[in-house]
Amino acid sequence: MLIFFLAYLGGLLTIFSPCVLPVLPFIFARSDQSFRRSGLPILLGMVATFTLLASFAAVGGAWLVEVNQYGRYAAMLLLLLLGMALISPALSERLMRPFVSLGGRLQQHADQQGNLKGSLLLGVAVGFLWAPCAGPILGLVLAGAALNGANLYSALLLLVFAAGAATSLALALLAGGRIFSLMKRGLGAEEWVRRGLGVAVVAGVVVIALGWDTRFLSQFTFLSTAKTEQKLITQLAQQPNAVAKTSAMQPLMPPISGATQWLNSPPLSSESLRGKVVLVDFWTYSCINCLRTLPYLNAWNEKYHDQGLVIIGVHTPEFAFEKDPHNVEQAIRDLGITYPVAMDNQYAIWNAFSNKYWPAHYLIDAQGRIRDQHFGEGAYQETEHMIQTLLKEAHQGVLAVGNGLVQVAGAGATAAAADMEHSPETYVGYARTQNLASPEVIKQDLAGQYSTPSTLKPNQWALNGKWLISAESAALQASGGTISYRFQGRDLHLVLGSHNDKPVRFKVTLDGDAPGADHGADIDEQGNGVIHEQRLYQLIRQSGKVAVHTFRIEFLDADAEAFAFTFG
């Protein structure tokens, strides 16, 4: 139920997001009519269309993108006609007549009672145009939809998110309708207000058609709700911990069957692990938050393995390249992981645990009951104390576990994050991207030329050169392309790969100069580096006073592929 609550809250927050601005003229176009017969059908049509499109977009291919584009063209034409109708009463009467086809009586009284079918059709059109900002909560919802496919669960998640957005818009519409009525009674401004709304609708269609909405709204980073949403996720995600610790009826460990491959171990099962204390860690090797927990997992494995602790790393991929066994094997060697790793490419174990997060830790006692769970980084002392408690229980206190805690210090990307404000995780693919400052409209799954503006605001980024942007990445089509990011934080990481599996040279600058002492583990002081495999690359680690900088990476060879920025 927590994920549905988060989805609804995320939808409510869209009213404070700049991404809702382009559709407001369409929502308020009929604010002078009955909410039940006009405003509510508009919102219902918008919710239904968004849910259907988002469900398919989460799992669909490029052909669905094309279908959606045709839908957008049809929607913009419909809304353009609506705007013209608001400006011209004669045109309004002529255009709206075909939509009032439910019967003669409805047609005769459409002006007095509202056009139910027309309003619903308007809502469907708005649903094609509405593209809410992909903040952390919507990103979580879309990730769940992508993982589970276009099924009832995924559709319900997206429906709840859209319902939250519709709720906030309904409140605004009800308040707007009252203001509209006061203006009519007090100022006699009905005609001018109606025409003004018509002009706003036409202008909105033009702005959306030319892509100006995304370029203009990308300037308003201060309006982003990402920080608020991330706090909600962090705070609410911890609530199951209290339930798990205090409930008298602890859930049993779900089956861990369904892994596509086991590494460092033969296949394990829940039954074969009875009598052992088990820590199940959901992770993926390009996730910076997962990497920063690994020093603790490795240390716990070394300290407690002989006393009965079994750590199982369930590697559940976020990107397609993380399904490759060779990539995962190379990663666990590089990271020094010796405990069993289950490759969960089909999300069988992930779904069995009803898990939603990377990383996520589940502690199971010797009787096979889940006794503790934690989502995200942190709480290492609490987790280790629970490991000690469960080991003592498993051996009836005979085993001297001790109360001392491991002392670890990660290096490179596994080092602990700095305790400071930093830029948000930023996806490069169009499915979840935000704050892209390149003025060109994204050509989904098609090669296109992109440029970088002269200045970037904090947390904005831009492409330059010829890139093909897909749902999860951007692939460089010709050498010399760049990515720039105005970031804050001690560290900057970028998940990179080579589209043709050949080495790709690159060069990093910080405010136009070589990074020097601020270089990351994967480049030298001059900023030079090479992409050898698909993974997370640490490119910047500020060694002195941390400040806001403009990062730029230039790829000296073609076929570089960029997936996501993370900071710390």
Side-chain angles (χ1 to χ4, degrees):
M1 293 302 296
L2 174 62
I3 185 63
F4 287 98
F5 181 55
L6 280 174
Y8 187 76
L9 284 179
L12 283 175
L13 288 172
T14 58
I15 193 66
F16 302 110
S17 167
C19 299
V20 79
L21 295 179
V23 302
L24 285 181
F26 313 131
I27 300 296
F28 282 96
R30 298 189 175 188
S31 59
D32 62 328
Q33 298 182 22
S34 165
F35 176 78
R36 184 175 62 87
R37 297 187 60 81
S38 181
L40 184 59
I42 289 175
L43 295 175
L44 290 177
M46 184 187 77
V47 167
T49 305
F50 168 77
T51 302
L52 182 63
L53 290 177
S55 295
F56 282 106
V59 294
W63 70 275
L64 276 176
V65 175
E66 295 300 321
V67 170
N68 188 32
Q69 287 302 313
Y70 291 133
R72 285 174 63 88
Y73 297 149
M76 285 187 285
L77 176 60
L78 173 62
L79 293 171
L80 179 63
L81 292 174
L82 170 67
M84 296 299 295
L86 287 170
I87 296 172
S88 170
L91 181 61
S92 174
E93 182 181 356
R94 191 174 298 116
L95 290 177
M96 296 308 293
R97 194 175 299 147
F99 300 123
V100 189
S101 57
L102 297 179
R105 180 174 298 179
L106 181 61
Q107 185 173 8
Q108 293 173 4
H109 300 285
D111 291 336
Q112 292 79 19
Q113 298 182 5
N115 185 346
L116 182 63
K117 187 176 180 180
S119 297
L120 187 61
L121 185 60
L122 173 61
V124 170
V126 172
F128 273 104
L129 298 176
W130 181 48
C133 291
I137 291 179
L138 181 57
L140 187 66
V141 172
L142 289 174
L147 301 180
N148 291 282
N151 54 29
L152 180 60
Y153 175 78
S154 302
L156 283 175
L157 273 179
L158 293 164
L159 180 63
V160 169
F161 179 90
T167 300
S168 57
L169 286 171
L171 294 174
L173 185 58
L174 287 170
R178 290 171 184 167
I179 294 173
F180 192 94
S181 298
L182 288 174
M183 291 177 65
K184 288 198 300 182
R185 291 196 301 267
L187 302 176
E190 177 183 6
E191 184 69 16
W192 288 107
V193 169
R194 181 180 55 76
R195 291 183 177 180
L197 287 172
V199 171
V201 169
V202 173
V205 171
V206 173
V207 165
I208 292 174
L210 296 178
W212 292 346
D213 57 327
T214 53
R215 302 178 207 173
F216 174 74
L217 295 175
S218 66
Q219 309 300 315
F220 291 89
T221 56
F222 64 90
L223 290 174
S224 173
T225 62
K227 293 181 182 178
T228 302
E229 294 183 29
Q230 192 60 58
K231 288 180 180 178
L232 284 169
I233 292 175
T234 302
Q235 293 174 4
L236 293 175
Q238 304 306 321
Q239 297 305 312
N241 291 352
V243 175
K245 293 173 184 175
T246 59
S247 174
M249 296 294 293
Q250 302 292 347
L252 291 176
M253 176 183 180
I256 53 173
S257 58
T260 52
Q261 186 173 342
W262 282 85
L263 305 173
N264 293 342
S265 168
L268 301 175
S269 67
S270 303
E271 294 75 17
S272 67
L273 293 168
R274 291 294 171 87
K276 299 286 189 179
V277 174
V278 181
L279 191 161
V280 177
D281 167 47
F282 286 93
W283 73 298
T284 185
Y285 80 83
S286 74
C287 164
I288 185 61
N289 308 96
C290 302
L291 295 178
R292 290 196 285 244
T293 66
L294 289 180
Y296 289 91
L297 292 167
N298 285 331
W300 292 335
N301 182 61
E302 182 177 352
K303 181 177 180 179
Y304 299 110
H305 177 266
D306 292 339
Q307 302 181 58
L309 175 68
V310 177
I311 298 178
I312 300 175
V314 179
H315 186 273
T316 314
E318 182 177 15
F319 299 114
F321 67 82
E322 293 173 312
K323 296 181 179 181
D324 188 328
H326 172 76
N327 289 346
V328 180
E329 290 171 358
Q330 182 65 46
I332 65 174
R333 283 196 299 268
D334 293 343
L335 295 167
I337 296 172
T338 59
Y339 50 80
V341 174
M343 289 188 59
D344 191 28
N345 286 358
Q346 304 302 322
Y347 284 78
I349 306 175
W350 175 286
N351 290 330
F353 276 77
S354 297
N355 186 53
K356 306 295 178 188
Y357 309 98
W358 291 281
H361 297 154
Y362 295 84
L363 266 174
I364 295 98
D365 65 16
Q367 284 71 47
R369 298 172 300 178
I370 297 177
R371 294 284 295 277
D372 188 46
Q373 51 192 340
H374 178 76
F375 307 120
E377 299 178 63
Y380 301 116
Q381 293 184 1
E382 295 84 349
T383 300
E384 187 170 1
H385 280 310
M386 181 59 72
I387 292 173
Q388 295 171 350
T389 298
L390 297 183
L391 287 173
K392 290 177 181 178
E393 288 181 6
H395 298 280
Q396 288 80 46
V398 176
L399 189 65
V401 176
N403 297 317
L405 303 178
V406 299
Q407 301 296 319
V408 303
T414 64
D419 185 16
M420 62 177 298
E421 187 79 10
H422 56 76
S423 296
E425 182 174 16
T426 303
Y427 291 89
V428 177
Y430 63 74
R432 288 184 282 176
T433 193
Q434 59 181 348
N435 297 335
L436 175 61
S438 294
E440 297 79 13
V441 177
I442 292 178
K443 296 181 178 180
Q444 297 182 359
D445 300 304
L446 296 173
Q449 197 74 25
Y450 298 89
S451 61
T452 301
S454 57
T455 59
L456 293 174
K457 294 182 179 180
N459 300 332
Q460 284 188 332
W461 64 285
L463 297 169
N464 191 78
K466 190 175 183 180
W467 294 83
L468 189 154
I469 303 178
S470 64
E472 69 175 25
S473 68
L476 182 62
Q477 305 299 292
S479 62
T482 68
I483 307 177
S484 302
Y485 199 121
R486 184 71 173 169
F487 78 100
Q488 53 184 335
R490 184 193 66 187
D491 304 333
L492 181 146
H493 312 92
L494 182 55
V495 179
L496 294 167
S498 171
H499 197 59
N500 60 7
D501 296 326
K502 294 181 180 179
V504 175
R505 298 167 299 150
F506 63 84
K507 188 176 184 65
V508 167
T509 60
L510 204 59
D511 297 327
D513 299 319
D518 292 332
H519 71 92
D522 291 301
I523 62 174
D524 60 23
E525 293 186 355
Q526 299 305 312
N528 299 306
V530 180
I531 301 173
H532 287 293
E533 59 268 332
Q534 295 165 311
R535 62 175 175 86
L536 180 142
Y537 289 76
Q538 185 188 78
L539 303 178
I540 297 294
R541 165 155 288 177
Q542 298 185 54
S543 58
K545 183 179 179 181
V546 176
V548 177
H549 294 288
T550 298
F551 162 88
R552 182 176 181 268
I553 180 170
E554 179 182 4
F555 298 96
L556 307 180
D557 303 304
D559 294 317
E561 193 168 15
F563 294 84
F565 285 93
T566 56
F567 306 88

